[in-house]
Amino acid sequence: EFSKAGVQSPAKLDAECVQLSFDEMRREGFADDGLFDQMKLFFLPLTMVEEDLTINKKVWKSISKSLSTERNTLMGKKQELSIQLNEKLDEYYRHDDAIRNLRLNPQSTTQRSAEARREEYETFSTTELIQEHRLAMQKFEPIRENLQKQIETIDDLINSINQSFSEENINSGTKFDRDLIKPNRGFIMYGPPGTGKSDIMSKLSVRMGISMVAPPLAAGELNRPLVGESERIISDICMRCHRIPYLMCCVSIDEIDSLAPKRKDGTSDGNVAKLSVLLSVIDGIKDVPNLMIFCATNRLHMMDDAFLRRMSGKFFVGRPSSHARKSILSGIKPWHMPPNLLDGLTTATTNFSGAALR
């Protein structure tokens, strides 16, 4: 544990450093199609400390004032909508009562129609009048449903604000959820071959300041012919993190599907043993709290469920979009390809991987 080393937790990353890392990779030609924005959220807990989650009395007073104003505004709007709804309901049921009266006493309609003829107005039969009232009621249905939905939405917002007041203990300035700053234990990047998964994975830790306890590995490098040797290597690499408990460390493994395949009845004992060691150091019996696993695969569907559950981030890296292909191809020198061919080449390379474009 960190306390044994005299530190409460590993050093946090600088949020600006994380942002600049992704910006630098974009400048180097990585067309991410929004992938980096998702990954920044994954690294967010590594940039936060407990003080970021606390709300002192002065700040909470300002927030509560804003919430109270918002709640009063919502209650006023709810009252207006309720009045409108009641008016529409009254009108709706007036039509309903009219239909009921016409069915019970059709003679009164005949008399009214006779009076209307004397006054040279258009006459209606009982059936026509009932149909007119039904059409009017049908027009009120969507209006009534819309008003009810608006009132329900406002009720949800008011309940959410009330819950914020009830849960907040103003007398305690240190109330926060520690899980919000708990570091994620790893991520897995998956997708078709040639999309840059391995390249992104190997460069991230170096640029962000996460300590790599081993060079980027391919899962096949961890396979050894002697029984128990592969498990010992995996364990030794992960246990290196204990030497620097004040830093977040990572192990980068490519083609992880061969190291953590699905466990079936026919799975060899060697594969199960390697997977067991890997799981034990990630929230397992030999948990290494400052260890993160960065991994990539082309075959996510063949991965072990227990391992995938421990990977907090799952990022799909697909083939580049039209905009990304154009960005990649724009790096071609003009003496190799005339610039006026760029749009045509972008269309012609639809469904190409990033590696094929380069």
Side-chain angles (χ1 to χ4, degrees), residues 24-43:
E24 186 176 332
M25 292 178 70
R26 284 193 179 106
R27 286 196 298 271
E28 289 184 359
F30 283 95
D32 60 296
D33 283 334
L35 171 67
F36 291 166
D37 294 329
Q38 299 176 36
M39 299 189 76
K40 277 189 284 188
L41 295 177
F42 172 83
F43 289 104

Side-chain angles (χ1 to χ4, degrees), residues 261-330:
K262 281 187 177 179
R263 286 172 282 188
K264 302 178 181 178
D265 293 339
T267 306
S268 66
D269 293 340
N271 286 337
V272 173
K274 286 184 287 187
L275 176 58
S276 298
V277 172
L278 193 59
L279 294 177
S280 69
V281 297
I282 313 172
D283 286 335
I285 194 171
K286 293 184 177 180
D287 183 38
V288 182
N290 62 327
L291 169 66
M292 299 179 72
I293 303 290
F294 296 174
C295 52
T297 180
N298 300 328
R299 303 182 294 177
L300 187 72
H301 63 284
M302 300 179 65
M303 299 284 298
D304 181 72
D305 292 335
F307 179 80
L308 291 178
R309 191 166 56 249
R310 283 167 167 79
M311 295 294 102
S312 307
K314 299 177 182 65
F315 304 111
F316 175 73
V317 186
R319 293 185 174 90
S321 64
S322 175
H323 176 74
R325 292 197 306 275
K326 188 172 183 179
S327 176
I328 294 171
L329 294 172
S330 62

Side-chain angles (χ1 to χ4, degrees), residues 224-231:
R224 293 291 185 273
L226 298 179
V227 176
E229 189 173 3
S230 298
E231 293 84 345

Side-chain angles (χ1 to χ4, degrees), residues 55-105:
I55 301 178
N56 58 39
K57 292 181 180 180
K58 185 177 180 180
V59 174
W60 172 245
K61 186 176 180 180
S62 175
I63 293 174
S64 62
K65 184 179 180 180
S66 176
L67 289 175
S68 297
T69 303
E70 184 179 357
R71 181 173 60 182
N72 293 336
T73 303
L74 290 171
M75 292 178 72
K77 188 175 180 180
K78 178 186 175 183
Q79 188 174 4
E80 293 176 3
L81 292 172
S82 298
I83 293 172
Q84 294 180 32
L85 179 61
N86 290 332
E87 291 175 353
K88 297 299 180 183
L89 287 175
D90 289 342
E91 200 166 347
Y92 179 88
Y93 288 119
R94 277 199 298 270
H95 288 290
D96 187 55
D97 292 339
I99 292 174
R100 189 179 297 107
N101 291 333
L102 287 169
R103 287 174 175 170
L104 293 175
N105 191 11

